Amino acid sequence: MTPFTLVSRSVEYESRLRFLLGERLRVVPGEYMLLGSETVADRAGEPRIVVLGPVLNFEETRQLIRELTQRNPNVVLVVVREQRSELEDWVDQLDLHAVLSPDASDEVTLELFERLMRWMVTTGRAEAADFEVPTPTPDEVRAIVEGPFVPRVDEAEAEDAPVESDETAEAVPAGPRWEFPPLPSDTPSEALAVVAPKGGQGKTTMSINLASGLAEVAPNSVVLVDADLQFGDITAALALQPEHTIVDAVAAVDDELVLKTMLTHHRDGFFVIASAPSPEFADQVPAAALGVLIERLRKLFRYVIIDTTPGLGEHSLVVLEHVTDAVFVMNMGVPSLRAVRTEFELLRTVGLMPANRHIVVNFADKQSGLTVRDVEHIIGAPVDVEVPRSSAVLLASNRGVPLIHDDVRDPAARGIRSLVMRIAPEAFPKRTWIHRKRPAHEPQ
Ligand SMILES: Nc1ncnc2c1ncn2[C@@H]1O[C@H](COP(=O)(O)OP(=O)(O)OP(=O)(O)O)[C@@H](O)[C@H]1O
Ligand SMILES: [Mg+2]
């Protein structure tokens, strides 16, 4: 149980509170309000203190308070909001316990939480133990490191899991809910870097959907690494609550058993290595360490997918050095396409163009003024996959689910499926129009 839950639309505030509260905080992105206050309250877990905001409006806050207090009348509610004149109405009309300015210093914020916790304990609303982070005993630590890998079952997943009758429970032997299938020594592992010279082109969207699609071919033998170290958002886009991040994974790279405990499982059958918990931790992952991590993961997984930061920084170059495939993502704008051409030239010059290449034009749009042929002319290479602009992409991301399974008929989902099939032709077997991957050195 996590004692604090934050519902907020500010990623910046989320990182700050994560930094202050660590393991004691669960975050539900405010975008989930699109699915209704009930869904948000369900995802909040069983918090003792809920922090609402910044950037939730009055109606959203009112609905959330109603849902949360219905579930636990003793819950304590803190609203994070600027000290504006209408705040008086909020305090009058809503059942709040405290109001906090988003600009309050860390000391003031922590002092308020301390005060609320003390008050809850003295009034019998909670117990002191509710706010403690349990420290594992030495035996528990040994069991984690030496025992079979049993990932934490996310509470939301646990709720969705089918309820077993007593009969079924007896028939199924006790054991981990999922395991890493052993990788036969003759199975070549593939590592895929998803790259783009400019930001916002759809790298993360492609990475997540690739992981979900490839997991159909190789269940639980796919790992998705969020190497966008400062602003990675994969766990938010998948509504996962990671207990560990890439910072821990890099530190554990020498010990396979410990490394496995640093992964977060997704119900589609793949694992995620979350980005650094906040930007200031990014420099704890040197570029060379990222290369070592990729090599280690390639020994454990059939597919290793790496989402990167825009551009060709040191980390992205090291990633490209350690992969078999690169997925280049671009939109139909001339600046994006010219940057891709320059990127190709540079990678060829330094000898870092991976063996297999997949060119994805995202946000493909007939209104852009360019045709696919124009795009090919500018970048100097053929386009492999077109993914049209579609509102379903954002909706799936806000719902925390991969698009290819959320809305199978959506044209963008179809485009992304054809990308999956280039990499794993055996995926989605009903389809016949499979484009085989073309090695980068093959004549165009
Ligand atoms: N085909 C599409 N149609 C509509 N929206 C899309 C499409 N592809 C991506 N998006 C949206 O565009 C935004 C940027 O996508 P995404 O986060 O995947 O890009 P990125 O390259 O990872 O960005 P960054 O460089 O910031 O990491 C997201 O809000 C995503 O939902
Ligand atoms: Mg991204």
Side-chain angles (χ1 to χ4, degrees):
M1 186 211 61
T2 40
F4 290 85
T5 292
L6 169 70
V7 184
S8 158
R9 284 206 181 84
S10 163
V11 177
E12 199 187 338
Y13 196 74
E14 178 188 322
S15 328
R16 230 188 103 202
L17 227 54
R18 269 192 205 282
F19 185 68
L20 292 180
L21 295 173
E23 303 271 294
R24 291 187 291 175
L25 182 71
R26 169 188 279 241
V27 175
V28 183
E31 287 75 8
Y32 272 73
M33 283 305 293
L34 282 173
L35 306 176
S37 49
E38 275 181 45
T39 309
V40 176
D42 286 344
R43 291 202 162 247
E46 294 172 14
R48 298 293 178 261
I49 298 178
V50 182
V51 183
L52 299 164
V55 209
L56 294 181
N57 64 32
F58 179 83
E59 190 48 32
E60 287 172 331
T61 312
R62 194 182 65 77
Q63 287 174 15
L64 270 175
I65 290 176
R66 195 191 58 216
E67 293 294 336
L68 290 162
T69 44
Q70 255 174 28
R71 284 163 174 73
N72 174 11
N74 284 332
V75 72
V76 160
L77 300 155
V78 181
V79 159
V80 181
R81 218 178 139 71
E82 304 279 353
Q83 304 288 333
R84 296 214 194 103
S85 54
E86 79 267 27
L87 195 58
E88 280 178 22
D89 297 339
W90 285 54
V91 176
D92 282 349
Q93 294 175 41
L94 302 176
D95 208 359
L96 301 176
H97 296 90
V99 177
L100 186 61
S101 160
D103 301 325
S105 67
D106 291 352
E107 288 74 31
V108 170
T109 307
L110 281 177
E111 199 197 303
L112 172 72
F113 291 151
E114 292 289 342
R115 216 154 18 94
L116 289 171
M117 286 190 278
R118 273 201 303 277
W119 175 74
M120 290 184 81
V121 173
T122 50
T123 56
R125 285 176 168 246
E127 291 179 15
D130 294 343
F131 297 105
E132 282 162 15
V133 184
T135 320
T137 63
D139 280 349
E140 282 169 337
V141 172
R142 210 169 305 120
I144 292 168
V145 174
E146 291 169 6
F149 175 60
V150 188
R152 183 179 73 101
V153 179
D154 187 87
E155 280 173 35
E157 277 190 357
E159 279 158 22
D160 293 348
V163 180
E164 290 167 346
S165 70
D166 283 350
E167 276 173 37
T168 342
E170 265 174 34
V172 179
R177 261 190 78 197
W178 46 74
E179 289 173 344
F180 295 88
L183 200 60
S185 53
D186 57 346
T187 310
S189 77
E190 282 186 63
L192 301 106
V194 183
V195 294
K198 291 195 177 276
Q201 311 284 295
K203 293 181 299 302
T204 302
T205 305
M206 299 306 149
S207 305
I208 286 172
N209 284 284
L210 268 175
S212 177
L214 292 172
E216 291 200 1
V217 179
N220 289 336
S221 197
V222 177
V223 64
L224 171 58
V225 182
D226 194 343
D228 185 351
L229 296 174
Q230 290 200 315
F231 298 107
D233 47 6
I234 285 180
T235 50
L238 289 173
L240 292 172
Q241 305 271 340
E243 289 195 339
H244 301 285
T245 69
I246 193 162
V247 176
D248 310 305
V250 160
V253 80
D254 290 332
D255 188 329
E256 192 181 299
L257 283 174
V258 183
L259 178 59
K260 284 176 178 175
T261 65
M262 302 303 160
L263 311 176
T264 307
H265 189 257
H266 187 275
R267 68 183 71 190
D268 282 359
F270 62 91
F271 292 85
V272 174
I273 294 190
S275 165
S278 62
E280 66 266 32
F281 287 90
D283 55 11
Q284 292 186 22
V285 183
L290 189 55
V292 175
L293 178 66
I294 295 169
E295 290 304 327
R296 170 67 73 172
L297 293 170
R298 287 187 64 184
K299 295 204 170 74
L300 302 173
F301 292 91
R302 172 86 177 80
Y303 295 104
V304 180
I305 300 159
I306 305 118
D307 185 16
T308 60
T309 35
L312 286 181
E314 194 191 358
H315 285 77
S316 298
L317 287 174
V318 168
V319 169
L320 286 164
E321 204 180 339
H322 291 273
V323 295
T324 51
D325 295 49
V327 177
F328 293 95
V329 189
M330 62 210 74
N331 65 24
M332 289 184 96
V334 173
S336 165
L337 299 170
R338 286 219 174 109
V340 170
R341 187 187 182 102
T342 311
E343 186 172 40
F344 285 170
E345 285 164 5
L346 194 107
L347 289 177
R348 284 200 192 97
T349 310
V350 296
L352 283 180
M353 180 65 97
N356 298 305
R357 185 193 65 200
H358 316 274
I359 295 181
V360 179
V361 173
N362 191 20
F363 300 100
D365 191 349
K366 293 208 165 49
Q367 318 293 319
S368 72
L370 294 184
T371 63
V372 171
R373 209 151 278 259
D374 296 328
V375 170
E376 293 178 335
H377 183 70
I378 298 173
I379 62 174
V383 169
D384 298 309
V385 174
E386 288 173 57
V387 179
R389 182 185 294 277
S390 159
S391 56
V393 177
L394 186 58
L395 197 63
S397 168
N398 285 342
R399 295 183 54 221
V401 289
L403 173 72
I404 53 168
H405 291 129
D406 185 47
D407 189 347
V408 287
R409 293 213 191 91
D410 179 76
R414 286 186 196 179
I416 297 172
R417 274 205 302 276
S418 69
L419 171 65
V420 176
M421 285 190 290
R422 276 179 61 80
I423 293 151
E426 65 271 44
F428 316 114
K430 279 185 214 134
R431 306 265 165 162
T432 50
W433 41 283
I434 294 169
H435 306 277
R436 301 278 160 178
K437 68 172 119 177
R438 179 186 49 251
H441 46 75
E442 194 175 286
Q444 322 275 294

